[in-house]
Amino acid sequence: MSFSVEVKEELSKLNNLANKEIVKYELLGYFATNHVTIQKNKIKFSTENEYNINRFGKLISNLQYINYDINLNGKSFYITLKKPELPEIIYSKAGIMFDAKEVSTKLKQNENLAKAFVRGCFLGGGSINNPKNMYHLEIILANKENAQIIFEILKQYQVLVKILEKKKSYSLYTKDGDEISKFLALIQANKSVLKFEEIRVLRDIRNNVNRKVNCETANLNKTVNAAFKQIEDIHYLQELGEFKKLSKVLQEIANLRLENPEASLVELGKLLPVPIGKSGVNHRFQAISKIVEERRKN
């Protein structure tokens, strides 16, 4: 079962159908999505989610719209009913729209209605990717006006999303884990919030471990490559018979390198009769490298 399906299953079982106004605004949220279409004097809602179709059926039955048909075609469920005559709804060629002034005012003033409306939008046209793989929340709306209403509601509750225009619809989306978590809390998917946060914590730990391993691997490669170059320089000077012409301190560090090819600069510094730090060791190898460069030029 996908994470989206789990969230919709949880929402479909919310026991909050006693308040008719909340029921109506959750239903209006469904109507805002591109999964609801107008067919003459009827509307049709389609979904592949069984929990979703059951929730939609409960909402319309609760509002006394009892004459509806549910059909299954392949993997998709379809529910068809006579166009509801609600004062908030405007039927147009662009799909179902709303009396923006009345709806927006109510949603701004009543938190429970705002949550119900956004919840209906997600149930009707939303999805969330498996957070183990990536963070992505998206809701597909029928038109720009509907998208803007939802956008403003989410903004009011500090849930930041972006609007994307598609061919025949508009999308609200975010790829931010914090925003998705806040969104789930807003629509009252409380169990899903806990699961989402648990996955986030494990994912962050895994990413931190991977970053640390990658960093350590990069540092190890850097150390190995530097050591290889140092040994190569020392052998070059030995072949030229120039090694014994080096100063005592340079011969000292060069011999330590040959004896300890895998040691870090810090470790080499500690092996010296008079220990020195990393920068001191590095300075000596740079001096050897400079001598080698001069010899190669001549």
Side-chain angles (χ1 to χ4, degrees):
M1 184 184 294
S2 71
F3 187 73
S4 263
V5 172
E6 288 181 20
V7 176
K8 292 185 178 183
E9 178 184 5
E10 179 184 356
L11 295 175
S12 72
K13 295 176 181 178
L14 285 178
N15 187 20
N16 58 351
L17 302 180
N19 187 311
K20 299 293 183 183
E21 196 72 358
I22 289 178
V23 171
K24 180 171 72 173
Y25 270 81
E26 185 173 321
L27 184 63
L28 292 178
Y30 273 91
F31 289 167
T33 71
N34 73 331
H35 284 219
V36 175
T37 55
I38 304 171
Q39 299 179 338
K40 296 183 179 180
N41 66 331
K42 294 184 178 182
I43 63 169
K44 181 171 75 172
F45 170 65
S46 60
T47 178
E48 292 186 358
N49 189 304
E50 186 176 357
Y51 302 110
N52 220 353
I53 205 74
N54 290 338
R55 182 70 174 183
F56 190 92
K58 288 179 182 178
L59 296 175
I60 58 177
S61 296
N62 193 280
L63 294 173
Q64 305 305 312
Y65 296 107
I66 56 176
N67 294 319
Y68 60 85
D69 297 315
I70 296 179
N71 296 292
L72 177 63
N73 185 358
K75 294 183 179 179
S76 296
F77 295 93
Y78 297 90
I79 188 165
T80 308
L81 68 153
K82 185 178 179 181
K83 287 196 296 189
E85 297 300 328
L86 296 171
E88 295 86 357
I89 292 179
I90 299 171
Y91 294 103
S92 70
K93 292 182 180 179
I96 297 177
M97 301 175 68
F98 303 100
D99 183 329
K101 185 176 180 181
E102 179 178 349
V103 171
S104 296
T105 300
K106 276 194 174 183
L107 294 176
K108 287 179 180 179
Q109 294 176 349
N110 191 311
E111 182 177 340
N112 289 327
L113 295 185
K115 290 179 177 180
F117 190 70
V118 176
R119 182 167 58 247
C121 288
F122 176 75
L123 283 165
S127 63
I128 300 179
N129 280 59
N130 185 340
K132 291 181 180 178
N133 302 321
M134 65 182 296
Y135 300 138
H136 186 86
L137 160 70
E138 184 173 25
I139 305 175
I140 309 297
L141 290 311
N143 50 63
K144 185 178 181 179
E145 290 75 12
N146 293 352
Q148 193 63 41
I149 291 173
I150 309 301
F151 179 85
E152 294 299 332
I153 297 171
L154 294 177
K155 183 178 178 181
Q156 180 181 344
Y157 292 96
Q158 288 80 51
V159 180
L160 304 180
V161 297
K162 296 179 180 179
I163 298 180
L164 176 67
E165 182 177 0
K166 297 195 170 185
K167 287 185 178 181
K168 295 182 180 180
S169 61
Y170 283 78
S171 165
L172 293 182
Y173 74 96
T174 180
K175 297 178 181 292
D176 187 285
D178 288 336
E179 305 307 323
I180 295 173
S181 185
K182 287 189 288 184
F183 177 87
L184 290 171
L186 179 67
I187 61 175
Q188 298 175 291
N190 299 323
K191 290 181 181 178
S192 296
V193 173
L194 294 176
K195 182 171 183 179
F196 184 81
E197 288 300 328
E198 180 183 350
I199 293 172
R200 283 186 74 192
V201 169
L202 293 175
R203 180 177 170 179
D204 288 344
I205 291 173
R206 182 185 64 193
N207 288 341
N208 287 335
V209 169
N210 287 339
R211 277 194 293 270
K212 186 175 181 181
V213 169
N214 290 338
C215 183
E216 289 176 351
T217 301
N219 289 336
L220 179 60
N221 289 337
K222 186 177 179 181
T223 299
V224 170
N225 291 335
F228 180 81
K229 171 66 167 54
Q230 292 155 7
I231 292 172
E232 188 179 56
D233 288 345
I234 295 166
H235 285 161
Y236 179 76
L237 292 175
Q238 288 176 332
E239 290 171 3
L240 285 181
E242 297 281 332
F243 183 76
K244 291 185 178 180
K245 295 180 181 180
L246 296 176
S247 66
K248 181 180 178 181
V249 294
L250 294 185
Q251 287 188 49
E252 195 174 51
I253 197 68
N255 284 324
L256 278 176
R257 169 52 78 202
L258 294 177
E259 294 167 5
N260 304 275
E262 296 179 358
S264 67
L265 298 183
V266 173
E267 291 168 337
L268 289 178
K270 291 179 180 179
L271 292 174
L272 288 166
V274 180
I276 61 174
K278 178 180 178 181
S279 61
V281 175
N282 187 52
H283 178 75
R284 294 184 185 186
F285 279 121
Q286 285 180 344
I288 293 174
S289 179
K290 187 175 181 180
I291 293 171
V292 170
E293 287 179 11
E294 290 175 354
R295 295 296 184 273
R296 289 184 188 278
K297 289 179 183 178
N298 296 331

